[in-house]
Amino acid sequence: MALFLFILLVAVVFGFVGAIVKGLIWLLVIGCVLFVLALLYAGLKMGRKTAKTKTR
């Protein structure tokens, strides 16, 4: 969970800096990609926990 929150925080910071500073739109793109990856990571992690609980 800590890794998910850290990646989410980095994505938000990159997004803000990329949106505010002119010429750094690539940081906004990196922030969006990190955000999506963090959501996928959390979804996979939660999916594995439910799959393990259902089989027991």
Side-chain angles (χ1 to χ4, degrees), residues 14-42:
F14 278 175
F16 279 135
V17 171
I20 293 172
V21 178
K22 188 177 181 180
L24 292 181
I25 197 76
W26 55 273
L27 276 179
L28 178 62
V29 172
I30 290 173
C32 291
V33 169
L34 278 176
F35 183 74
V36 169
L37 288 176
L39 290 178
L40 287 174
Y41 174 77

